[in-house]
Amino acid sequence: MFGGGKAGLAGLMKQAQEIQNKMKEAQEAIASMEVTGEAGGGLVKVTMTGKHELVRVDIDDSIMDDREMVEDLVVAAVNSAVRKVEEETQRRMSEVTGGLNLPGGMQFPF
């Protein structure tokens, strides 16, 4: 079935364990990373961790008198940061899985 009997199965199990260890390392690195999302040409900047926790908001003083603009730009900056976290997570996980095509919706971690 696995083409190598017990030795083939043992090799497969070892490979799975190595992938699992690399996944854990990648998840820890992702959780501790920080990304910056911007909007309005940098008038609003937010910093978010890989766990999608917002840790900093920087709003340029020049727009503080326009509440609606500030609100819109904060939303846009947060969405920008979320996209960056997702892109970086995807990139790092695909490095770990080596481009492994997982069946229908199956994702790491299991």
Side-chain angles (χ1 to χ4, degrees):
M1 178 174 169
F2 289 105
K6 289 182 181 182
L9 183 57
L12 187 61
M13 294 299 288
K14 182 179 179 192
Q15 189 176 24
Q17 183 65 44
E18 288 173 8
I19 290 174
Q20 186 177 13
N21 289 340
K22 288 179 182 178
M23 289 289 298
K24 184 178 180 188
E25 290 172 11
Q27 288 169 334
E28 290 170 359
I30 289 166
S32 66
M33 77 176 178
E34 289 188 354
V35 300
T36 300
E38 295 185 20
L43 292 173
V44 174
K45 298 176 186 174
V46 299
T47 303
M48 179 179 286
T49 70
K51 296 189 313 186
H52 295 94
E53 294 174 345
L54 201 57
V55 293
R56 192 168 24 267
V57 176
D58 182 25
I59 302 171
D60 191 279
D61 289 337
S62 69
I63 62 169
M64 291 305 288
D65 60 341
D66 189 343
R67 181 184 175 114
E68 275 188 52
M69 181 191 300
V70 171
E71 290 171 349
D72 290 344
L73 291 177
V74 168
V75 169
V78 169
N79 288 334
S80 171
V82 168
R83 280 190 300 276
K84 287 182 179 183
V85 168
E86 296 302 321
E87 290 168 0
E88 185 64 14
T89 298
Q90 181 68 27
R91 185 188 68 75
R92 290 183 186 209
M93 287 303 171
S94 68
E95 286 177 2
V96 170
T97 62
L100 212 64
N101 284 332
L102 300 175
M106 188 174 173
Q107 297 179 356
F108 281 113
F110 297 114

